[in-house]
Amino acid sequence: RYGPDPGEVADAQYPAPPSPGSLDPSKKVIGYAVLPGAEPYDGFAFFGHGTHTAGSVAGDNYATPATPASGGHDLGDGMAPGAKLFFQDSGNESSGILAGLTSAYPLIFQQAREAGARIHSDSWGSQTAGAYTADCSDVDRFLWRNEDFQIFFANGNSGPGQGTVLSPAAAKNCVAVGALTNG
């Protein structure tokens, strides 16, 4: 949400990818798409992970919002506090899996692109480490065909050793991000 009122939560929509559904550019979260098989909003199964990672990218403290004249950076702001978000929910609280992440990755990426996104942040991956998979190929093909779009993946939590980058972060055309430390 963007403000202290619990009623300011983005309305969940269920458009079939690649349609983004209705968008409201006047809001921080311009659209909230629940991917097929997923359930809306973060809960216990995912510990708010999607919301947290979106906030790391584009979070903005509503008490002192960023403006074109003032960055308004506060503790807890993301790296681009003035950016807008199109949120794609892939989690299913009932099953505890990312049910919305089907093999239709190109449709998911195209949905975000249709919403106006040119950067796609993904903190998920398969358990396949150190291999170039069909998912990697889908990511590479999409980025090759959409040169004005970039996809960022977390490397995974498998450590610094050889063969620990998870699929699809092992794709050639995306940006894979690994952490050295936190805090």
Side-chain angles (χ1 to χ4, degrees):
R1 68 178 187 237
Y2 194 66
D5 181 3
E8 295 186 56
V9 174
D11 294 328
Q13 300 179 61
Y14 299 83
S19 171
S22 60
L23 304 173
D24 185 349
S26 71
K27 296 188 175 180
K28 179 73 168 176
V29 179
I30 66 166
Y32 187 113
V34 181
L35 297 173
E39 296 174 343
Y41 310 113
D42 288 337
F44 181 75
F46 299 103
F47 303 101
H49 185 73
T51 300
H52 165 77
T53 57
S56 294
V57 174
D60 187 14
N61 185 334
Y62 63 83
T64 53
T67 67
S70 168
H73 275 288
D74 302 291
L75 184 62
D77 278 359
M79 295 304 295
K84 304 277 184 164
L85 290 166
F86 175 71
F87 197 92
Q88 294 172 289
D89 201 327
S90 60
N92 184 303
E93 290 295 318
S94 302
S95 65
I97 62 171
L98 297 175
L101 295 177
T102 64
S103 59
Y105 297 138
L107 291 176
I108 293 170
F109 300 139
Q110 187 61 36
Q111 181 183 54
R113 193 170 186 284
E114 295 289 326
R118 293 300 180 261
I119 296 172
H120 204 272
S121 176
D122 300 277
S123 185
W124 52 268
S126 75
Q127 295 305 311
T128 305
Y132 188 84
T133 65
D135 293 341
C136 294
S137 178
D138 284 345
V139 168
D140 283 336
R141 189 175 304 108
F142 184 85
L143 289 170
W144 177 259
R145 293 177 179 163
N146 297 278
E147 292 181 359
D148 63 342
F149 197 84
Q150 187 51 265
I151 302 170
F152 291 78
F153 281 103
N155 275 349
N157 297 321
S158 299
Q162 181 177 346
T164 59
V165 176
L166 301 180
S167 172
K172 299 178 291 182
N173 296 332
C174 71
V175 175
V177 181
L180 298 174
T181 186
N182 61 28

